[in-house]
Amino acid sequence: MGLVLNEEQRMLQRSAQEFFSARQPLKALRTLRDNQDATGFDRELWRAMAELGWAGILIPEAYGGAAFGYQGLGLILEEAGRSLAASPLISTALLGGPLILSAGSEAQKHAWLGAVAAGERVVALALDERSRHAPTSIATRAKSQGSGYVLKGSKVMVLDGHVADQLLVVARTSGADDAAQGLTIFVVDATARGITRTRLTLVDSRNAANVAFDNVEVAATAVLGMPDSGYAALAPVLDGARVGLAAEMLGSGLEAFERTLNYLKLRVQFGVPIGSFQALKHRAALMYCEIELTRSVVLEALTALDEQRGDVPQLASLAKAKACEMLELVSSEAIQLFGGIGMTDEEEIGFFIKRARVAQQTFGDAVFHRDRYATSMGF
Amino acid sequence: MGLVLNEEQRMLQRSAQEFFSARQPLKALRTLRDNQDATGFDRELWRAMAELGWAGILIPEAYGGAAFGYQGLGLILEEAGRSLAASPLISTALLGGPLILSAGSEAQKHAWLGAVAAGERVVALALDERSRHAPTSIATRAKSQGSGYVLKGSKVMVLDGHVADQLLVVARTSGADDAAQGLTIFVVDATARGITRTRLTLVDSRNAANVAFDNVEVAATAVLGMPDSGYAALAPVLDGARVGLAAEMLGSGLEAFERTLNYLKLRVQFGVPIGSFQALKHRAALMYCEIELTRSVVLEALTALDEQRGDVPQLASLAKAKACEMLELVSSEAIQLFGGIGMTDEEEIGFFIKRARVAQQTFGDAVFHRDRYATSMGF
Amino acid sequence: MSTLDSFRVATRAWLEANCPASMRTPMPEDERVWGGRQPSFKNPESKIWFERMVSRGWTVPTWPTAWGGGGLTTDEAQILNDEMTRLNCRTPLFGFGISMLGPVLLKYGTEAQKAEHLPPIARGEIRWCQGYSEPNAGSDLANLQTKAENRGDHFLVNGQKIWTSYAHLADWIFCLVRTDSAKHRGISFLLFDMRTAGVKTRPIALISGASVFCETFFDNVRVPTRNLVGQLNNGWQIAKELLQHERGMISQIGRAIGGTVPPVEVVAKQYLGDATGKISDPVLRDAVARQVMNDRAFELTIRRAGQESAAGAADGGASSMFKYYGTEQNKKKFELILKCAGTQALGWTGPDFTPDELTLCRTWLRSKGNSIEGGTSEIQLNVIAKRVLGLPD
Amino acid sequence: MSTLDSFRVATRAWLEANCPASMRTPMPEDERVWGGRQPSFKNPESKIWFERMVSRGWTVPTWPTAWGGGGLTTDEAQILNDEMTRLNCRTPLFGFGISMLGPVLLKYGTEAQKAEHLPPIARGEIRWCQGYSEPNAGSDLANLQTKAENRGDHFLVNGQKIWTSYAHLADWIFCLVRTDSAKHRGISFLLFDMRTAGVKTRPIALISGASVFCETFFDNVRVPTRNLVGQLNNGWQIAKELLQHERGMISQIGRAIGGTVPPVEVVAKQYLGDATGKISDPVLRDAVARQVMNDRAFELTIRRAGQESAAGAADGGASSMFKYYGTEQNKKKFELILKCAGTQALGWTGPDFTPDELTLCRTWLRSKGNSIEGGTSEIQLNVIAKRVLGLPD
């Protein structure tokens, strides 16, 4: 695994640390929440991130990207996770851009990727239709009509769906409702007639929308890549998103843990810092082990993605499952160890448990990924 | 639940405490083990237990029993569990006798129950055929032949099978291999031609055998109750055995816990008793809670058995599952908290973890019973 | 017919005649009656019911009639409770005055204090709050620093309390204050009016949204010396008794909260049930089974403790065990519900979530406080280890 | 070609020429070569292989040739290791002399001590054991009470050790003894011959059956003063260094033991696999997945620590984390295997169980010791909390 950072990566990490701590600290999310901001992220900051090359970090230079790879993006997401920063990094840099890159024709790549890398377009993936991730359970149908298609169905938890310029819609053109075969991806203008977007106000104050397609007419050129075989293009991108999200979760877990550790050292009860109580020490040590293990699997999965290794699907499930387990533990323990003060909205630690549960459900929870891992191991 | 003991029950409890601590302390099991005793329990003591009425404790007085009920037997088994006493209490008092009572004709009851209650006959149930409990997965077949049957198949983990006088064999007379319908129970002389018994030497030094039936001819009168519907008679008796075993496990858990607690108070390291370390205190408190919960479900299940309530199956699964979880925890923690000395054969605490795992697997482990409980709750 | 039987017959008849129809239905949180100087009755029948019960002294059935109580014996009070349960009668009046301060005054109060405070509590005229925790006195409650200087005819109180439930709505407060430097032997128990000059409250927002808790500030608050309950510097004894009582109440919180959210297996079936009602994900199904089985075992243990206590075999650590296990079990329940319901349980507001789903999410967050308030889980485990298991300090 | 490249070529050629065929196969436990005064070679080729490696000094490749070593640089030793791994060459000689005492003598020993002890270790002529723990000095090792009285030309040693691995087969012992009452500053490090009058050993039976551990008793054992290693009362320093080393070795135990038992998913498939190989019980399947995923994460973490250490970013608490996590994970693995294999994993002896099944059961029991020996899990967590996380005492 690519653990020891090279000079370029170290610079990237430093600039990410500086960017998020200076310009997107945790209180930025609180402000967006309290102001009920209509966009849900800061467009100004997103442009700044694009200028740093982050919006197009997975896009080759030929299409206007920075081509820094998953290991680079992982560093950025880890820092973003520390401050729970809201931005289209996941929807657009981790999913939208790479999916167009993976599935699209040359013409489509040239049409969209430059704008994505420039931070000018938010592109959202409209995939899930249920309250738990099930990427092949697709009932949204695309029927041929004339030279084009008509889309009908509804999608849930479309990240940044309410502000996206384009939606990448996974729809069924053939096959049974839960088959991987028969899925087609469409690039659809988010304001097309027949599309209704409802922004979701989630517990983590981050951005998602439910999107309904009521006989939305699209041209044949809207098909991204080949009809019926969209899942083959989607699968590796989805695995990349799982790993990227795991990197974000690693950052959140680290930050919550460090804040808790700090509190254990400062909070005095019975005349001593509560961190001197052995039961709490042991629980802290346990969390440390889980975080270390998570770091290892995230780094290995990021490396495998950059090397396009065959074990990416397995490692993606390993990374996401482990990140889910770790962050559930750490975010819950953080509240308990902060005690009453951790239950107040004024103290920031509560933001971590809120984000944790949404991130756990996004792109498959630990149960989903343990099952997938077992299948990949043949048992 | 019948928690507050009446005078009769208190006397029974006292006599059980005295009997096991004086005549069957834990070292009795060690002696049986080290001597590679052929019987595996002390026949003398079993006769003494029968004289106290324990062998026939579930048998009505009309058939020579003491009719003290499951709550009474639970008290005895709990004490037996404390000293890990080896005896035919489970095979004969909890299973063999009650199954004849439940399934047998008047003639069969009169023929067998008196001798069972007198401690003169060991009667073993030959049920399971797999390494994990599956009471309806029966491939042993009984084919009609002339006026009788021929038995063919093999059974595992027949408790006291090697010393039993009679075997109660659950065999398939119709139906598919895993159907509850089509099972018939036969009373078979354990020395009948075609029966091969291999005594198992298990980690817990208690008694069980594998039994093979190679075309064993039995008369029609060997059928206990009605052909094809043996499972209906077996099911409640099996639930009684699960609860009784849970009572034994409760006793073992309590004893292992108390010994561990005592060690925590006596063992000095770093100048203080190790029981003063908070991390160990919290783990001890957790075990205490689990033991208390187990006691509640065992008592409730024993009461339900005596009251022949409709929720016996559900409570039996609750009691056995909880006893399995509790005893796995307590017996494992006991070794860890005793430290190196707990790893030696000389120290008795190791006998508890050995017995625990066998008891966990007997009549269904926690996974089996959680599944069964869920089904009974309709989810 | 025995006297008790006659009492039962008469009580049943009175309840049937006097308990309004809507007072025999499950009570929404916002229809609870708390009394006080500005009482509010969302449901008009709750006012009728409240007044009728006050007239019998049955808001506090076992208190002496001289103090506004019902004067019932324990047996009679049990019968009243049974009959109210039978008819599903709502509790007519809630409050810390009834559940916490009243018993303290009955045991430690002077005759004058009883006469002044008990009848208004029984009649729901004064709503009380409890001033215990401070920013630096949480688990280590005895470290409290709110100072009460003895000025002869009054105490001068300065300091800050936190987690004062309903302080912004309360009329009076009972409050632990420091009257001496000795940690445990320097604490006293004072009562004072929340309208006294120098008292200020500030509601606390919780991670689950709005809350009933406040920060409460005391700036040169003058409290008449006659409002000291029990002896000077002996407040810790009273506090300990109240804490044990509170623990018992909070271990019920989970069950009460649970009452407003469907059982976990129902939620799991709703989101994951197949055509036969079986939970389609076998791993979550196993987790749900484990949860409901432990819930059942816990309920049985509470029942058993009740029987043991009735039989005189009470266990000193029971309240700590119930507080610990009940609140941890409740937290696990909500985590499991979140896993079963997926993103539908993660909504904060908005039309894409049902009201039940939004409640799920808020209640999940609120459940995290159960293992902190009223003594943390860690403190309960310490207590079990020490008092029940006899492990050394 | 660089010097190192030439070394690699030459080494490879020598190994290919000199390592017998059977020495390139996985080594059964009972074919390990321990050396000593009565060496045993179950497989005759292991004697040939041992002697050839001794002749090169490659039983201890980095030790100076003067002391019987190979005199290799770190880089050369790495190459030797790589090439042996490539050919699956067995380790020619095992023992505490090589892994533990040798490094201590090289650092702390006098020239005379090195000359006396190192060559026999390198040549496998003397087998050593380690006298550390005592009945009342387990986790609190520094509490050891075995006393060594300084009698001028000799120490008079009295006391008892426990958990002395292979003491009954060892020729010499290195031993921590008390030479002063100061807890940590009163410990010294002595060497002596196990044939000395007054030394007795008694093997300890473990719950898993026979064991390699002994109790070792010292009754007026006379140890020449020249056998003191390092300074008087400075043995604790040496002990600490050795303990850290031991921890690293034991965290491998799980993996080594695991090597003699099939992976958990293989056992699970054997007992629970359906026709397609899928584990038929979905709840146990999930538990197996969790186990193998954590195993994988742990392996990756060990690899990462190796990379970090190579990059100079070593983490002081890593050995404690590995000891803790590795041994706990190993215990979980066996508990899970027991659940999957059911009663077939619970046999002690007899024909109704396969040899593999009997091994499973014994190894499960033995695994319980992993989280105790070499510093308990509790001690490791303390170390992580203190050294890595900086939590206060």
Side-chain angles (χ1 to χ4, degrees), chain C residues 60-119:
Chain C
V60 284
T62 60
W63 293 12
T65 50
W67 313 132
L72 302 191
T73 64
T74 316
D75 285 346
E76 287 169 341
Q78 185 58 52
I79 286 170
L80 172 60
N81 187 57
D82 292 347
E83 292 302 317
M84 286 179 69
T85 306
R86 213 179 55 83
L87 278 185
N88 294 316
C89 301
R90 294 184 184 177
T91 303
L93 175 65
F94 288 83
F96 293 111
I98 289 177
S99 61
M100 317 256 318
L101 179 61
V104 164
L105 286 179
L106 285 167
K107 180 165 177 187
Y108 292 96
T110 62
E111 290 308 293
Q113 285 169 339
K114 289 180 197 172
E116 180 181 356
H117 297 295
L118 293 178

Side-chain angles (χ1 to χ4, degrees), chain A residues 210 267 269-270 328 336 343, chain C residues 135 140 207 339 348 352 371:
Chain A
N210 286 354
R267 170 74 172 172
Q269 290 282 274
F270 305 104
E328 180 175 346
Q336 179 68 20
M343 285 296 295
Chain C
D140 186 11
I207 54 175
K339 288 186 170 69
W348 189 251
D352 282 70
S371 56

Side-chain angles (χ1 to χ4, degrees), chain B residues 285-304:
Chain B
L286 220 72
M287 285 190 263
Y288 168 76
C289 293
E290 292 298 323
I291 290 172
E292 285 295 303
L293 263 65
T294 303
R295 177 178 286 292
S296 306
V297 297
V298 167
L299 286 171
E300 178 75 357
L302 288 166
T303 308

Side-chain angles (χ1 to χ4, degrees), chain A residues 50-243:
Chain A
E51 272 164 35
L52 289 163
W54 301 352
I57 195 164
L58 296 180
I59 296 173
E61 292 171 11
Y63 303 108
F68 222 102
Y70 280 100
Q71 291 171 83
L73 182 51
L75 292 172
I76 296 166
L77 284 166
E78 184 181 328
E79 296 304 321
R82 280 185 175 268
S83 67
L84 302 176
S87 82
L89 264 178
I90 292 176
S91 66
T92 302
L94 192 57
L95 274 169
L99 185 52
I100 293 169
L101 184 69
S102 157
S105 64
E106 268 317 297
Q108 287 169 326
K109 293 184 206 177
H110 281 289
W112 304 110
L113 293 181
V116 163
E120 290 161 5
R121 284 187 189 277
V122 171
V123 180
L125 174 67
L127 171 63
D128 273 311
E129 304 183 356
R130 304 179 170 198
S131 65
R132 298 181 74 232
H133 183 57
T136 58
S137 291
I138 303 296
T140 295
R141 302 209 66 100
K143 283 193 185 150
S144 288
Q145 178 179 291
S147 67
Y149 294 85
V150 174
L151 300 180
K152 188 164 175 58
S154 53
K155 298 288 185 178
V156 300
M157 278 294 288
V158 179
L159 303 187
D160 292 322
H162 62 305
V163 287
D165 302 294
Q166 269 72 39
L167 297 171
L168 303 182
V169 185
V170 182
R172 186 161 295 288
T173 37
S174 68
D177 270 8
D178 56 354
Q181 261 307 317
L183 297 178
T184 304
I185 305 168
F186 296 87
V187 191
V188 182
D189 199 279
T191 56
R193 199 162 46 154
I195 291 182
T196 311
R197 299 186 283 174
T198 324
R199 182 185 182 181
L200 297 175
T201 305
L202 296 170
V203 68
D204 68 345
S205 308
R206 296 273 282 271
N207 292 322
N210 286 354
V211 183
F213 300 87
D214 183 14
N215 292 319
V216 178
E217 295 177 12
V218 295
T221 53
V223 172
L224 199 68
M226 303 293 290
D228 282 345
S229 56
Y231 194 73
L234 173 62
V237 175
L238 199 51
D239 274 329
R242 287 162 178 152
V243 177

